């Protein structure tokens, strides 16, 4: 039996992009598993991100919903990235896991 192919990496939502006194909900900060430097983030730029969650009401027979986003650029030097979601991520997503899809490819 062939091995399963992994289509995504795990990540964690840290917060919105922010300054000392304000925050920008249009941009979220993510930490991706196994990424520890600015150079490591280069591979993930432009990749799609899925925040999967469960809602109380069923729609089309499922309670599972997804908010899609895209990795925009690195944030700092420690491997954190900025991502834009549409619609913006809700604050309940802070600390939750996201799926960083390994597509689209830039190779």
């Amino acid at each position: 039996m062939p091995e399963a192919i992994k289509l995504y990496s795990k990540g964690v939502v840290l917060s919105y992009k922010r300054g000392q006194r304000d925050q920008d909900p249009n941009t979220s900060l993510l930490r991706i598993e196994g990424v520890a430097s600015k150079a490591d983030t280069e591979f993930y730029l432009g990749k799609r991100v899925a925040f999967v969650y469960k809602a109380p009401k069923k729609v089309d027979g499922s309670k599972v919903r997804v908010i899609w986003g895209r990795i925009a650029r690195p944030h700092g030097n420690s491997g954190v990235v900025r991502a834009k979601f549409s619609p913006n991520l809700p604050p309940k997503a802070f600390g939750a896991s996201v799926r960083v899809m390994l597509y689209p490819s830039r190779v």
Side-chain angles (χ1 to χ4, degrees), residues 6-97:
K6 193 166 101 171
L7 294 177
Y8 62 89
S9 297
K10 290 181 182 177
V12 176
V13 179
L14 300 178
S15 75
Y16 295 135
K17 185 181 85 147
R18 57 182 303 248
Q20 188 173 4
R21 290 176 188 86
D22 63 345
Q23 58 188 8
D24 178 13
N26 300 320
T27 308
S28 299
L29 303 180
L30 310 177
R31 178 173 302 286
I32 304 169
E33 200 174 73
V35 177
S37 70
K38 193 178 218 173
D40 295 345
T41 63
E42 190 66 32
F43 171 79
Y44 291 97
L45 301 185
K47 299 284 192 263
R48 309 239 7 229
V49 184
F51 170 62
V52 180
Y53 64 101
K54 286 190 177 167
K57 246 187 195 169
K58 280 190 176 183
V59 173
D60 295 330
S62 175
K63 290 185 174 187
V64 177
R65 313 266 172 92
V66 181
I67 297 178
W68 286 97
R70 191 173 298 274
I71 295 182
R73 53 173 291 184
H75 179 81
N77 295 312
S78 62
V80 175
V81 294
R82 297 182 194 177
K84 298 240 179 205
F85 287 84
S86 180
N88 297 339
L89 284 183
K92 77 167 190 178
F94 295 166
S97 62

Coordinates of all heavy atoms in Angstrom, one line a residue, residues 6-97:
K6 N 1.3 14.0 2.3 CA 0.8 15.1 3.1 C 0.6 16.3 2.2 O 1.5 16.8 1.5 CB 1.9 15.4 4.1 CG 1.5 16.3 5.3 CD 2.4 16.3 6.4 CE 3.3 17.5 6.3 NZ 4.1 17.7 7.5
L7 N -0.6 16.9 2.3 CA -1.0 18.0 1.5 C -0.9 19.4 2.2 O -1.1 20.4 1.6 CB -2.4 17.9 1.0 CG -2.6 16.7 0.0 CD1 -4.1 16.7 -0.4 CD2 -1.8 16.9 -1.2
Y8 N -0.6 19.3 3.6 CA -0.5 20.5 4.3 C 0.4 20.4 5.5 O 0.7 19.3 5.9 CB -1.9 21.0 4.8 CG -2.6 20.1 5.7 CD1 -2.4 20.2 7.1 CD2 -3.5 19.1 5.3 CE1 -3.1 19.3 8.0 CE2 -4.2 18.3 6.2 CZ -3.9 18.4 7.5 OH -4.6 17.6 8.4
S9 N 0.9 21.6 5.9 CA 1.7 21.6 7.2 C 0.8 22.3 8.2 O -0.2 23.0 7.9 CB 2.9 22.5 7.0 OG 3.8 22.0 6.0
K10 N 1.1 22.0 9.5 CA 0.4 22.6 10.6 C 0.9 24.0 10.9 O 2.1 24.2 10.8 CB 0.4 21.7 11.8 CG -0.4 20.4 11.7 CD -0.3 19.6 12.9 CE -1.1 18.3 12.7 NZ -1.0 17.5 13.9
G11 N 0.0 24.9 11.4 CA 0.4 26.2 11.8 C -0.5 26.6 13.0 O -1.5 26.0 13.2
V12 N -0.1 27.7 13.7 CA -0.9 28.2 14.8 C -1.1 29.7 14.6 O -0.2 30.4 14.2 CB -0.1 28.0 16.1 CG1 -0.9 28.6 17.3 CG2 0.0 26.5 16.4
V13 N -2.3 30.2 14.8 CA -2.6 31.6 14.7 C -2.1 32.3 16.0 O -2.5 31.9 17.1 CB -4.1 31.8 14.6 CG1 -4.4 33.3 14.5 CG2 -4.7 31.1 13.4
L14 N -1.2 33.3 15.9 CA -0.7 34.0 17.0 C -1.6 35.2 17.4 O -2.0 35.3 18.6 CB 0.7 34.4 16.8 CG 1.7 33.3 16.4 CD1 3.1 33.9 16.1 CD2 1.8 32.3 17.5
S15 N -1.8 36.1 16.5 CA -2.6 37.2 16.8 C -2.8 38.0 15.4 O -2.4 37.5 14.4 CB -2.0 38.1 17.8 OG -0.9 38.8 17.2
Y16 N -3.4 39.2 15.6 CA -3.4 40.1 14.4 C -2.1 40.8 14.4 O -1.3 40.9 15.4 CB -4.5 41.2 14.6 CG -5.9 40.6 14.6 CD1 -6.8 41.1 15.6 CD2 -6.3 39.7 13.7 CE1 -8.1 40.6 15.6 CE2 -7.7 39.3 13.7 CZ -8.5 39.7 14.6 OH -9.8 39.3 14.6
K17 N -1.7 41.4 13.2 CA -0.6 42.3 13.1 C -0.9 43.5 14.0 O -2.1 44.0 13.9 CB -0.4 42.7 11.7 CG 0.9 43.5 11.5 CD 1.0 43.9 10.1 CE 0.2 45.2 9.8 NZ 0.8 46.1 8.9
R18 N 0.0 44.0 14.8 CA -0.3 45.1 15.7 C 0.8 45.9 16.0 O 2.0 45.6 15.8 CB -0.9 44.5 17.0 CG -0.1 43.5 17.7 CD -0.8 43.0 19.0 NE -1.1 44.1 19.8 CZ -0.6 44.4 21.0 NH1 0.3 43.6 21.5 NH2 -1.0 45.4 21.7
G19 N 0.5 47.1 16.5 CA 1.5 48.1 17.0 C 1.4 48.1 18.5 O 0.7 47.2 19.1
Q20 N 2.0 49.1 19.1 CA 1.9 49.2 20.5 C 0.5 49.5 21.0 O 0.1 49.0 22.1 CB 2.9 50.3 21.0 CG 3.0 50.3 22.5 CD 4.1 51.3 23.0 OE1 4.7 52.0 22.2 NE2 4.3 51.3 24.3
R21 N -0.3 50.3 20.3 CA -1.6 50.7 20.7 C -2.8 50.3 19.8 O -3.9 50.6 20.2 CB -1.6 52.3 20.9 CG -0.7 52.7 22.0 CD -0.6 54.2 22.1 NE 0.4 54.5 23.1 CZ 1.7 54.6 22.9 NH1 2.1 54.4 21.7 NH2 2.5 54.9 23.8
D22 N -2.5 49.8 18.7 CA -3.6 49.4 17.8 C -3.3 48.0 17.1 O -2.1 47.6 17.1 CB -3.9 50.4 16.8 CG -2.8 50.7 15.8 OD1 -1.7 50.3 16.1 OD2 -3.0 51.3 14.8
Q23 N -4.3 47.4 16.6 CA -4.1 46.2 15.9 C -4.8 46.2 14.5 O -5.8 47.0 14.3 CB -4.6 45.0 16.7 CG -6.0 45.0 17.1 CD -6.4 43.9 18.1 OE1 -5.5 43.2 18.6 NE2 -7.6 43.8 18.4
D24 N -4.3 45.4 13.6 CA -4.8 45.4 12.2 C -5.5 44.1 11.9 O -4.8 43.1 11.6 CB -3.6 45.7 11.3 CG -4.1 45.6 9.8 OD1 -5.3 45.7 9.6 OD2 -3.2 45.6 9.0
P25 N -6.8 43.9 12.0 CA -7.4 42.6 11.9 C -7.4 42.1 10.4 O -7.7 41.0 10.2 CB -8.9 42.9 12.3 CG -9.0 44.3 12.5 CD -7.7 45.0 12.4
N26 N -6.9 43.0 9.5 CA -6.8 42.5 8.1 C -5.7 41.5 7.9 O -5.6 40.8 6.9 CB -6.6 43.7 7.1 CG -7.8 44.6 7.2 OD1 -8.9 44.2 7.3 ND2 -7.5 45.9 7.1
T27 N -4.7 41.5 8.8 CA -3.5 40.7 8.7 C -3.3 39.9 10.0 O -3.3 40.4 11.0 CB -2.3 41.6 8.4 OG1 -2.5 42.4 7.3 CG2 -1.1 40.7 8.1
S28 N -3.2 38.6 9.8 CA -2.9 37.7 11.0 C -1.5 37.2 11.0 O -0.9 37.0 9.9 CB -3.9 36.5 10.9 OG -5.2 36.9 10.9
L29 N -1.0 36.9 12.2 CA 0.4 36.3 12.3 C 0.2 34.8 12.6 O -0.5 34.4 13.4 CB 1.1 37.0 13.5 CG 1.2 38.5 13.4 CD1 2.0 39.1 14.6 CD2 1.9 38.9 12.1
L30 N 1.0 34.0 11.8 CA 1.0 32.6 12.0 C 2.4 32.1 12.2 O 3.4 32.6 11.7 CB 0.5 31.9 10.7 CG -0.8 32.4 10.0 CD1 -1.0 31.7 8.7 CD2 -2.0 32.2 11.0
R31 N 2.5 31.0 13.0 CA 3.7 30.3 13.2 C 3.5 28.9 12.6 O 2.6 28.2 12.9 CB 4.1 30.1 14.7 CG 5.4 29.3 14.9 CD 5.8 29.2 16.3 NE 6.1 30.5 16.9 CZ 7.2 31.3 16.6 NH1 8.0 30.9 15.7 NH2 7.3 32.4 17.2
I32 N 4.4 28.6 11.6 CA 4.3 27.3 10.9 C 5.3 26.3 11.5 O 6.4 26.6 11.8 CB 4.6 27.5 9.4 CG1 3.7 28.6 8.8 CG2 4.5 26.2 8.6 CD1 4.1 29.0 7.4
E33 N 4.8 25.1 11.7 CA 5.6 24.0 12.3 C 6.8 23.7 11.4 O 6.8 23.6 10.2 CB 4.7 22.7 12.3 CG 5.2 21.7 13.3 CD 4.2 20.5 13.3 OE1 4.1 19.8 12.4 OE2 3.4 20.5 14.3
G34 N 8.0 23.7 12.1 CA 9.3 23.4 11.4 C 9.9 24.6 10.7 O 10.9 24.5 10.1
V35 N 9.3 25.8 10.9 CA 9.9 27.0 10.3 C 10.5 27.9 11.4 O 9.7 28.3 12.3 CB 8.8 27.8 9.5 CG1 9.4 29.1 8.9 CG2 8.3 26.9 8.4
A36 N 11.8 28.1 11.3 CA 12.4 28.9 12.4 C 13.2 30.1 12.0 O 13.8 30.8 12.8 CB 13.4 27.9 13.2
S37 N 13.2 30.4 10.7 CA 14.0 31.6 10.3 C 13.3 32.2 9.1 O 12.4 31.7 8.4 CB 15.4 31.2 9.9 OG 15.4 30.5 8.7
K38 N 13.7 33.5 8.8 CA 13.2 34.2 7.7 C 13.4 33.5 6.4 O 12.5 33.4 5.5 CB 13.8 35.6 7.6 CG 13.1 36.6 6.7 CD 13.8 37.9 6.8 CE 12.7 39.0 6.8 NZ 13.3 40.3 7.0
A39 N 14.6 32.8 6.2 CA 14.9 32.1 5.0 C 14.0 30.9 4.8 O 13.6 30.6 3.7 CB 16.3 31.6 5.0
D40 N 13.6 30.2 5.9 CA 12.7 29.1 5.8 C 11.3 29.5 5.3 O 10.6 28.7 4.8 CB 12.5 28.4 7.2 CG 13.8 27.8 7.7 OD1 14.7 27.6 6.9 OD2 13.9 27.5 8.9
T41 N 10.9 30.7 5.6 CA 9.5 31.2 5.2 C 9.4 31.3 3.7 O 8.3 31.3 3.2 CB 9.1 32.5 5.9 OG1 10.0 33.5 5.4 CG2 9.2 32.4 7.4
E42 N 10.5 31.5 3.0 CA 10.5 31.8 1.6 C 9.6 30.7 0.8 O 8.9 31.1 -0.1 CB 11.9 31.8 1.0 CG 12.0 32.3 -0.4 CD 11.7 33.7 -0.5 OE1 11.9 34.5 0.4 OE2 11.2 34.1 -1.6
F43 N 9.7 29.5 1.2 CA 9.0 28.4 0.5 C 7.5 28.6 0.6 O 6.7 28.3 -0.3 CB 9.4 27.0 1.1 CG 8.5 25.9 0.6 CD1 8.7 25.3 -0.6 CD2 7.5 25.4 1.4 CE1 7.9 24.3 -1.1 CE2 6.6 24.4 1.0 CZ 6.9 23.8 -0.3
Y44 N 7.0 29.1 1.8 CA 5.6 29.2 2.1 C 4.9 30.5 1.5 O 3.7 30.5 1.6 CB 5.3 29.1 3.6 CG 5.7 27.7 4.1 CD1 6.9 27.5 4.7 CD2 4.7 26.7 4.1 CE1 7.2 26.2 5.2 CE2 5.0 25.4 4.5 CZ 6.3 25.2 5.1 OH 6.5 23.9 5.6
L45 N 5.6 31.4 1.0 CA 5.0 32.7 0.6 C 4.1 32.4 -0.6 O 4.4 31.7 -1.5 CB 6.1 33.7 0.2 CG 7.0 34.1 1.3 CD1 8.0 35.2 0.8 CD2 6.3 34.5 2.5
G46 N 2.8 32.9 -0.5 CA 1.8 32.6 -1.6 C 1.0 31.4 -1.4 O 0.0 31.2 -2.1
K47 N 1.4 30.5 -0.4 CA 0.6 29.3 -0.2 C -0.8 29.6 0.5 O -0.9 30.6 1.2 CB 1.4 28.4 0.8 CG 2.7 27.9 0.2 CD 2.5 26.9 -0.9 CE 3.9 26.2 -1.2 NZ 4.5 26.8 -2.4
R48 N -1.7 28.8 0.3 CA -3.1 28.9 0.8 C -3.1 28.4 2.2 O -2.4 27.4 2.6 CB -4.1 28.2 0.0 CG -4.0 28.6 -1.5 CD -5.2 29.2 -2.2 NE -6.3 29.6 -1.4 CZ -7.6 29.3 -1.8 NH1 -7.8 28.5 -2.8 NH2 -8.6 29.7 -1.1
V49 N -4.0 29.0 3.1 CA -4.1 28.7 4.5 C -5.6 28.5 4.7 O -6.4 29.3 4.3 CB -3.6 29.8 5.4 CG1 -3.6 29.3 6.8 CG2 -2.1 30.2 5.0
A50 N -5.9 27.4 5.5 CA -7.3 27.1 5.8 C -7.5 27.1 7.3 O -6.7 26.3 8.0 CB -7.7 25.8 5.2
F51 N -8.4 27.9 7.9 CA -8.8 27.8 9.3 C -10.1 27.1 9.3 O -11.1 27.5 8.8 CB -8.9 29.2 9.8 CG -9.6 29.3 11.2 CD1 -9.0 28.6 12.3 CD2 -10.8 29.9 11.4 CE1 -9.6 28.6 13.5 CE2 -11.4 29.9 12.7 CZ -10.8 29.3 13.7
V52 N -10.0 25.8 9.8 CA -11.2 24.9 9.8 C -11.8 24.9 11.2 O -11.1 24.8 12.2 CB -10.8 23.5 9.4 CG1 -12.0 22.6 9.4 CG2 -10.1 23.5 8.1
Y53 N -13.1 25.1 11.3 CA -13.8 25.2 12.6 C -15.2 24.6 12.5 O -15.7 24.4 11.4 CB -13.8 26.6 13.1 CG -14.7 27.6 12.3 CD1 -16.0 27.9 12.7 CD2 -14.2 28.1 11.1 CE1 -16.8 28.8 11.9 CE2 -15.0 29.0 10.3 CZ -16.2 29.3 10.7 OH -17.0 30.1 10.0
K54 N -15.8 24.4 13.6 CA -17.1 23.8 13.6 C -18.1 24.9 14.1 O -17.8 25.6 15.1 CB -17.2 22.6 14.5 CG -16.6 21.4 13.9 CD -16.9 20.2 14.7 CE -16.2 19.0 14.0 NZ -16.2 17.8 14.8
A55 N -19.2 25.0 13.4 CA -20.2 26.0 13.8 C -21.4 25.3 14.4 O -21.6 24.1 14.2 CB -20.7 26.8 12.5
P56 N -22.3 26.0 15.1 CA -23.4 25.3 15.8 C -24.5 24.8 14.8 O -25.1 23.8 15.0 CB -24.0 26.3 16.7 CG -23.4 27.6 16.4 CD -22.2 27.3 15.6
K57 N -24.7 25.5 13.7 CA -25.8 25.1 12.7 C -25.2 24.4 11.5 O -24.1 24.7 11.0 CB -26.4 26.4 12.2 CG -27.8 26.6 12.6 CD -28.4 27.8 11.9 CE -29.7 28.2 12.6 NZ -30.2 29.4 12.2
K58 N -26.0 23.4 11.0 CA -25.6 22.7 9.9 C -25.9 23.5 8.6 O -27.0 24.1 8.5 CB -26.3 21.3 9.8 CG -25.7 20.2 10.6 CD -26.4 18.9 10.3 CE -25.7 17.8 11.1 NZ -26.2 16.5 10.8
V59 N -24.9 23.5 7.7 CA -25.2 24.0 6.3 C -24.8 23.0 5.3 O -23.6 22.4 5.4 CB -24.3 25.3 6.1 CG1 -24.5 25.8 4.7 CG2 -24.8 26.4 7.1
D60 N -25.7 22.6 4.4 CA -25.4 21.5 3.5 C -25.1 20.2 4.2 O -24.2 19.5 3.7 CB -24.4 21.9 2.4 CG -24.8 23.1 1.6 OD1 -26.0 23.2 1.3 OD2 -24.0 23.8 1.1
G61 N -25.6 20.0 5.3 CA -25.4 18.7 6.0 C -24.1 18.6 6.8 O -23.8 17.6 7.3
S62 N -23.4 19.7 7.0 CA -22.2 19.7 7.7 C -22.0 20.9 8.6 O -22.4 22.0 8.3 CB -21.0 19.7 6.8 OG -19.8 19.8 7.4
K63 N -21.4 20.7 9.8 CA -21.2 21.8 10.7 C -19.8 22.4 10.5 O -19.4 23.4 11.2 CB -21.3 21.3 12.2 CG -22.7 21.0 12.6 CD -22.7 20.6 14.1 CE -24.1 20.4 14.5 NZ -24.2 20.3 16.0
V64 N -19.0 21.8 9.7 CA -17.6 22.2 9.4 C -17.6 23.4 8.5 O -18.2 23.4 7.4 CB -16.8 21.1 8.9 CG1 -15.3 21.5 8.6 CG2 -16.7 19.9 9.9
R65 N -16.9 24.4 8.8 CA -16.7 25.6 8.0 C -15.2 25.9 7.8 O -14.4 25.5 8.6 CB -17.3 26.9 8.6 CG -18.7 26.6 9.1 CD -19.8 27.0 8.1 NE -21.1 26.6 8.7 CZ -21.9 27.4 9.4 NH1 -21.6 28.6 9.6 NH2 -23.1 26.9 9.8
V66 N -14.9 26.7 6.8 CA -13.5 27.0 6.5 C -13.4 28.5 6.1 O -14.2 29.0 5.4 CB -12.9 26.2 5.3 CG1 -11.5 26.5 5.0 CG2 -13.1 24.7 5.6
I67 N -12.4 29.1 6.7 CA -12.0 30.5 6.2 C -10.7 30.4 5.5 O -9.7 29.9 6.1 CB -11.9 31.5 7.4 CG1 -13.3 31.6 8.1 CG2 -11.4 32.9 6.9 CD1 -13.2 32.6 9.3
W68 N -10.6 30.8 4.3 CA -9.4 30.7 3.5 C -8.6 31.9 3.5 O -9.1 33.0 3.6 CB -9.7 30.3 2.0 CG -10.2 28.9 1.8 CD1 -11.5 28.5 1.8 CD2 -9.4 27.8 1.7 NE1 -11.5 27.1 1.6 CE2 -10.2 26.6 1.6 CE3 -8.0 27.6 1.7 CZ2 -9.7 25.4 1.4 CZ3 -7.5 26.3 1.6 CH2 -8.4 25.2 1.4
G69 N -7.3 31.8 3.4 CA -6.4 32.9 3.4 C -5.1 32.6 2.6 O -5.0 31.5 2.0
R70 N -4.2 33.5 2.6 CA -3.0 33.3 1.8 C -1.8 34.0 2.5 O -2.0 35.0 3.1 CB -3.1 34.0 0.4 CG -2.1 33.7 -0.6 CD -2.4 34.3 -1.9 NE -3.6 33.8 -2.5 CZ -3.7 32.7 -3.3 NH1 -2.6 32.0 -3.5 NH2 -4.8 32.3 -3.8
I71 N -0.7 33.3 2.5 CA 0.5 33.8 3.2 C 1.1 34.9 2.4 O 1.4 34.8 1.2 CB 1.6 32.7 3.5 CG1 1.0 31.7 4.4 CG2 2.9 33.3 4.0 CD1 1.8 30.6 4.9
A72 N 1.3 36.1 3.0 CA 1.7 37.3 2.3 C 3.2 37.6 2.3 O 3.8 37.8 1.3 CB 0.9 38.5 2.8
R73 N 3.8 37.5 3.5 CA 5.2 37.9 3.7 C 5.7 37.4 5.1 O 4.9 37.1 5.9 CB 5.4 39.4 3.5 CG 4.5 40.2 4.4 CD 4.8 41.7 4.4 NE 6.1 41.9 5.0 CZ 6.6 43.1 5.2 NH1 6.0 44.2 4.8 NH2 7.8 43.2 5.8
P74 N 7.0 37.4 5.3 CA 7.5 37.1 6.6 C 7.2 38.2 7.6 O 7.0 39.3 7.2 CB 9.0 36.9 6.4 CG 9.3 37.2 5.0 CD 8.1 37.6 4.3
H75 N 7.3 37.9 8.9 CA 7.1 38.9 9.9 C 8.3 38.7 10.9 O 8.3 37.7 11.7 CB 5.8 38.7 10.6 CG 5.5 39.6 11.7 ND1 5.1 40.9 11.5 CD2 5.7 39.5 13.1 CE1 4.9 41.5 12.7 NE2 5.3 40.7 13.6
G76 N 9.3 39.5 10.9 CA 10.4 39.4 11.7 C 11.4 38.4 11.2 O 11.3 37.9 10.1
N77 N 12.3 37.9 12.1 CA 13.4 37.0 11.7 C 13.3 35.6 12.3 O 14.1 34.8 12.1 CB 14.7 37.6 12.2 CG 15.0 38.9 11.5 OD1 14.9 39.0 10.2 ND2 15.4 39.9 12.2
S78 N 12.2 35.3 13.0 CA 12.1 34.0 13.7 C 11.1 33.0 13.0 O 10.7 32.1 13.6 CB 11.7 34.3 15.1 OG 10.4 34.8 15.2
G79 N 10.7 33.3 11.8 CA 9.9 32.3 11.1 C 8.4 32.5 11.1 O 7.7 31.7 10.6
V80 N 8.0 33.6 11.7 CA 6.6 33.9 11.8 C 6.2 34.6 10.4 O 7.0 35.3 9.8 CB 6.2 34.9 12.9 CG1 4.8 35.4 12.9 CG2 6.5 34.2 14.2
V81 N 5.0 34.3 9.9 CA 4.5 34.9 8.7 C 3.2 35.7 8.8 O 2.5 35.5 9.8 CB 4.3 33.8 7.6 CG1 5.6 33.1 7.2 CG2 3.3 32.8 8.0
R82 N 3.0 36.6 7.9 CA 1.7 37.4 7.9 C 0.8 36.7 6.8 O 1.3 36.3 5.8 CB 2.0 38.8 7.5 CG 2.8 39.6 8.5 CD 3.0 41.0 8.0 NE 4.1 41.6 8.8 CZ 4.5 42.9 8.6 NH1 3.9 43.6 7.7 NH2 5.5 43.4 9.3
A83 N -0.4 36.6 7.2 CA -1.4 36.0 6.2 C -2.6 36.9 6.2 O -3.0 37.5 7.2 CB -1.8 34.6 6.7
K84 N -3.3 37.0 5.0 CA -4.5 37.7 4.8 C -5.6 36.7 4.6 O -5.5 35.8 3.8 CB -4.4 38.6 3.6 CG -3.3 39.6 3.7 CD -3.9 41.0 3.6 CE -2.9 42.1 3.7 NZ -3.5 43.3 4.2
F85 N -6.7 36.8 5.4 CA -7.8 36.0 5.3 C -9.1 36.8 4.8 O -9.2 38.0 5.0 CB -8.2 35.3 6.6 CG -7.2 34.3 7.1 CD1 -6.0 34.6 7.7 CD2 -7.5 32.9 6.8 CE1 -5.1 33.6 8.1 CE2 -6.6 32.0 7.2 CZ -5.4 32.3 7.9
S86 N -9.9 36.1 4.1 CA -11.2 36.7 3.6 C -12.3 35.8 3.9 O -12.4 34.7 3.4 CB -11.1 37.0 2.1 OG -12.3 37.6 1.7
P87 N -13.2 36.1 4.9 CA -13.2 37.3 5.7 C -12.1 37.2 6.8 O -11.5 36.2 6.9 CB -14.6 37.3 6.4 CG -14.9 35.8 6.4 CD -14.4 35.2 5.2
N88 N -11.9 38.3 7.5 CA -10.8 38.3 8.5 C -11.1 37.2 9.6 O -12.2 36.9 9.8 CB -10.8 39.7 9.3 CG -10.5 40.8 8.4 OD1 -9.9 40.6 7.3 ND2 -10.8 42.0 8.8
L89 N -10.0 36.7 10.2 CA -10.2 35.7 11.2 C -10.8 36.3 12.4 O -10.5 37.4 12.8 CB -8.8 35.1 11.6 CG -8.2 34.1 10.6 CD1 -6.8 33.6 11.2 CD2 -9.1 33.0 10.3
P90 N -11.7 35.6 13.1 CA -12.3 36.1 14.4 C -11.2 35.9 15.5 O -10.4 35.1 15.4 CB -13.5 35.2 14.6 CG -13.1 33.9 13.9 CD -12.3 34.3 12.7
P91 N -11.3 36.7 16.6 CA -10.4 36.6 17.7 C -10.4 35.2 18.4 O -9.4 34.8 19.0 CB -10.9 37.7 18.7 CG -11.6 38.6 17.8 CD -12.2 37.9 16.7
K92 N -11.5 34.4 18.2 CA -11.5 33.1 18.8 C -10.5 32.2 18.1 O -10.2 31.1 18.7 CB -12.9 32.5 18.8 CG -13.3 32.0 17.4 CD -14.6 31.1 17.5 CE -14.8 30.4 16.2 NZ -16.0 29.5 16.2
A93 N -10.0 32.6 17.0 CA -9.0 31.8 16.3 C -7.6 31.8 16.9 O -6.8 31.0 16.6 CB -9.0 32.2 14.8
F94 N -7.4 32.8 17.8 CA -6.0 33.0 18.4 C -5.7 31.7 19.1 O -6.4 31.2 20.0 CB -6.0 34.2 19.3 CG -6.1 35.5 18.6 CD1 -6.4 36.6 19.3 CD2 -6.1 35.6 17.2 CE1 -6.5 37.9 18.7 CE2 -6.2 36.8 16.6 CZ -6.5 38.0 17.3
G95 N -4.5 31.1 18.8 CA -4.1 29.9 19.5 C -4.6 28.6 18.8 O -4.2 27.5 19.1
A96 N -5.5 28.8 17.8 CA -6.1 27.6 17.1 C -5.1 27.2 16.0 O -4.3 28.0 15.6 CB -7.4 28.0 16.6
S97 N -5.3 26.0 15.5 CA -4.4 25.5 14.5 C -5.0 25.8 13.1 O -6.2 25.9 13.0 CB -4.2 24.0 14.6 OG -5.4 23.3 14.5

